[in-house]
Amino acid sequence: KNQVEQSPQSLIILEGKNCTLQCNYTVSPFSNLRWYKQDTGRGPVSLTIMTFSENTKSNGRYTATLDADTKQSSLHITASQLSDSASYICVVRPGGSYIPTFGRGTSLIVHP
Amino acid sequence: ETGVTQSPTHLIKTRGQQVTLRCSSQSGHNTVSWYQQALGQGPQFIFQYYREEENGRGNFPPRFSGLQFPNYSSELNVNALELDDSALYLCASSLDGSRNQPQHFGDGTRLSIL
């Protein structure tokens, strides 16, 4: 069964600090992995996408990494801002299928 | 460029009723996917429509049905509503059915079943 596990479930950090969110998946065969940011009451917004051959992708202060051998990904947020408070969701799309598997998300709270 | 819009934003129904949720895709997008997101959970894929045809379905019963119109807008219909159907229903559109195309999400319809 295809699964995506994210950790931690929630995280509280101070403004200006860095943090790293984790995503482990068992989806096979693998097509691509996306990280989404979902603000409260809003739809998810794509941050990064990585395919099998890519092991790092940046989008401003967000940097995602992918280790396709260990089936792990991380999202690193640098110099956090209050607006980074949101849920971050890891999504893996299998090859040969249109059905993506979503993780439950990590809830990030950035305090001033 | 108009983004994905969903209506209504909130809806309250009772068990056994039927509901129709609507989604207008982003301009130029011909693929629409629907998701159910329970509180504190990640979205669950319901189905996808590409050029008016369903081309992928998740693990949802037949009482969840959909439609895509020639202008690529879409409807999600749910019959015989159950308490567990209470959730945020998200619609996402993309340029085509390709797996690498980014999906653009609407802000969802919050459905509450009493």
Side-chain angles (χ1 to χ4, degrees):
Chain A
K1 181 181 177 182
N2 291 334
Q3 286 188 314
V4 174
E5 300 289 338
Q6 292 188 240
S7 62
Q9 186 174 349
S10 61
L11 185 61
I12 300 174
I13 62 174
L14 292 175
E15 187 179 11
K17 298 296 187 183
N18 304 335
C19 66
T20 301
L21 315 180
Q22 300 290 343
C23 172
N24 297 336
Y25 62 92
T26 60
V27 177
S28 182
F30 174 85
S31 178
N32 62 58
L33 183 148
R34 285 187 188 274
W35 282 94
Y36 283 89
K37 177 187 179 188
Q38 185 174 22
D39 292 315
T40 301
R42 306 296 301 273
V45 174
S46 180
L47 295 174
T48 62
I49 177 175
M50 287 181 291
T51 57
F52 186 87
S53 59
E54 298 173 300
N55 54 26
T56 187
K57 183 74 69 77
S58 290
N59 178 2
R61 295 181 295 103
Y62 301 103
T63 300
T65 64
L66 173 66
D67 185 334
D69 291 331
T70 62
K71 298 186 177 180
Q72 296 179 325
S73 176
S74 66
L75 180 69
H76 186 75
I77 304 175
T78 303
S80 60
Q81 300 176 359
L82 298 179
S83 59
D84 292 331
S85 296
S87 179
Y88 292 83
I89 303 174
C90 174
V91 184
V92 182
R93 194 178 286 269
S97 171
Y98 292 106
I99 301 176
T101 301
F102 284 69
R104 289 188 173 187
T106 292
S107 175
L108 174 66
I109 298 174
V110 180
H111 277 314
Chain B
E1 182 179 85
T2 305
V4 176
T5 59
Q6 294 186 241
S7 63
T9 55
H10 295 82
L11 198 53
I12 299 175
K13 291 284 189 178
T14 57
R15 279 186 302 173
Q17 285 188 310
Q18 178 267 342
V19 69
T20 297
L21 310 182
R22 295 178 174 83
C23 171
S24 293
S25 59
Q26 185 165 314
S27 177
H29 288 185
N30 59 22
T31 303
V32 171
S33 301
W34 286 92
Y35 297 86
Q36 181 194 67
Q37 186 176 23
L39 199 61
Q41 305 291 318
Q44 298 292 315
F45 176 82
I46 302 175
F47 41 56
Q48 176 175 287
Y49 281 85
Y50 171 65
R51 295 193 175 195
E52 303 178 59
E53 297 286 332
E54 183 182 300
N55 71 344
R57 188 178 182 92
N59 188 27
F60 280 81
R63 58 189 185 85
F64 285 78
S65 62
L67 197 60
Q68 187 178 33
F69 299 99
N71 66 355
Y72 303 131
S73 65
S74 178
E75 287 182 354
L76 165 65
N77 299 291
V78 187
N79 294 322
L81 287 167
E82 301 176 358
L83 293 178
D84 284 348
D85 295 334
S86 294
L88 179 68
Y89 288 85
L90 294 164
C91 167
S93 73
S94 57
L95 191 57
D96 59 35
S98 166
R99 284 180 286 277
N100 285 342
Q101 285 294 328
Q103 290 191 314
H104 297 260
F105 283 83
D107 288 335
T109 294
R110 173 72 64 186
L111 176 62
S112 299
I113 310 301
L114 304 179

